[in-house]
Amino acid sequence: MRDNRSKINIQSMLAPAVRTTDATSSAIDLAGYDAATVEIHLAAGGITFDSTNKIEFTLTHCDTSGGTYDAVTDADVILPAGRSVGSGGIVKSLVAAAASASVDRIGYIGNRRYLKVTADFSGTHGTGTGIAVSLVQDRARLKAVA
């Protein structure tokens, strides 16, 4: 078995929490790494999701931390088979019942330096849903990662 700990860095984009309202991460700097994966961690749905009562996760990127963030496109990410990026950079939509926990991985292959993620809640969410979003930075240019 080989060690991977000293080659990757994991940052929290959205801290684990039971959420009922929108949340946007701070900007995450990708400098010093040649690969990045966004991981969306979900608990079982707090409500029965549908086309009105839903959560959509959008991914945006920018060249500077304080600049204007643009929505990612299909050319910027690798999504699970059969999915494509929705309008405004939607990389994951909860629009149907989610009875069990899941982790979704989105590979970032764009060429921007900073990333942000937003959990966008629509409709009524009387019961929250457990959400966390992490960024795994890989292929560090300087070894080893602290």
Side-chain angles (χ1 to χ4, degrees), residues 7-84:
K7 296 179 183 179
I8 65 169
N9 184 42
I10 301 174
Q11 295 194 50
S12 177
M13 294 184 85
L14 293 177
V18 175
R19 300 180 186 275
T20 58
T21 59
D22 296 355
T24 299
S25 72
S26 57
I28 302 291
D29 191 350
L30 301 176
Y33 295 89
D34 290 327
T37 302
V38 176
E39 293 185 342
I40 301 172
H41 303 259
L42 299 168
I47 64 167
T48 300
F49 301 109
D50 57 34
S51 61
T52 302
N53 301 305
K54 60 187 174 182
I55 306 172
E56 294 174 319
F57 292 88
T58 60
L59 190 61
T60 57
H61 57 175
C62 187
D63 291 322
T64 62
S65 64
T68 301
Y69 281 75
D70 300 315
V72 298
T73 65
D74 285 320
D76 300 313
V77 295
I78 299 172
L79 295 175
R83 287 197 356 223
S84 60

